[in-house]
Amino acid sequence: MGNWVVNHWFSALVIAAWLGLNIFLFVLFFLMFDRDEKYHYTRQLLGSALAWARASAKCLNFNSMLILLPVCRNLLSFLRGTCSCCRRTMRKQLDYNLTFHKLVAYMIVLHTAIHIIAHLCNFEWYNDAQQATDESLASVLSELHQDNGLWLNPIYSNTTTPLYVAFTTIPGLTGVIITLALILMVTSSVEFIRRSYFEVFWYTHHLFVIYFVGLVIHGIA
């Protein structure tokens, strides 16, 4: 146990800090979207699913920012050079770059799942609010829109379905594209495929370009 602490204390510290930041970001934005008065009327339509979707999105963006750092060879070479005056144990931690890359990928998958499930609930509750005829607050809010045609409830008519919104809006379409890109990258990274069909792993991992472009457009839209 003592040797493990001596050899891996820095790696453990980095992982603890990373997990701590993920928890902090999730809790911070969950509470913001769950309690801030600015989102009061949206919460009347979506309930807590709004906070789950937004909090997971913030963590998803944070981990997407980190995912490429452990596989940047020039950055790793630079860090090894700057650590040349440090203890060998410190420099050795950089050899675990792929392990950290995988951990960040797993976290991205987790928050992607949370984000998708939350949005599926959002679509269902948007639809329920639009279909409601009881003059509840949710049904009244579904009738509100701005002069430029932007509705508080994107499902604003009986002919507007969740599937239609998912494939005809920029957030919906980019969400589908980046999810498919992520699924292909993750599934092709399993050890069996990586070892037996390395070309499949190599080429599907280049979908990260589509993933990041789609993520930026998805967030802006």
Side-chain angles (χ1 to χ4, degrees), residues 174-187:
T174 54
V176 171
I177 291 173
I178 61 181
T179 300
L180 290 175
L182 181 63
I183 290 173
L184 289 173
M185 286 189 290
V186 171
T187 54

Side-chain angles (χ1 to χ4, degrees), residues 64 67-68 101 105-106 108-109 177-191 193-194 200-212:
S64 295
I67 188 72
L68 293 180
H101 176 74
Y106 295 149
I108 288 176
V109 171
I177 291 173
I178 61 181
T179 300
L180 290 175
L182 181 63
I183 290 173
L184 289 173
M185 286 189 290
V186 171
T187 54
S188 66
S189 299
V190 297
E191 186 173 0
I193 294 179
R194 194 173 67 250
V200 174
F201 160 77
W202 175 254
Y203 287 114
T204 54
H205 248 59
H206 283 75
L207 291 172
F208 80 90
V209 176
I210 295 176
Y211 173 83
F212 278 105

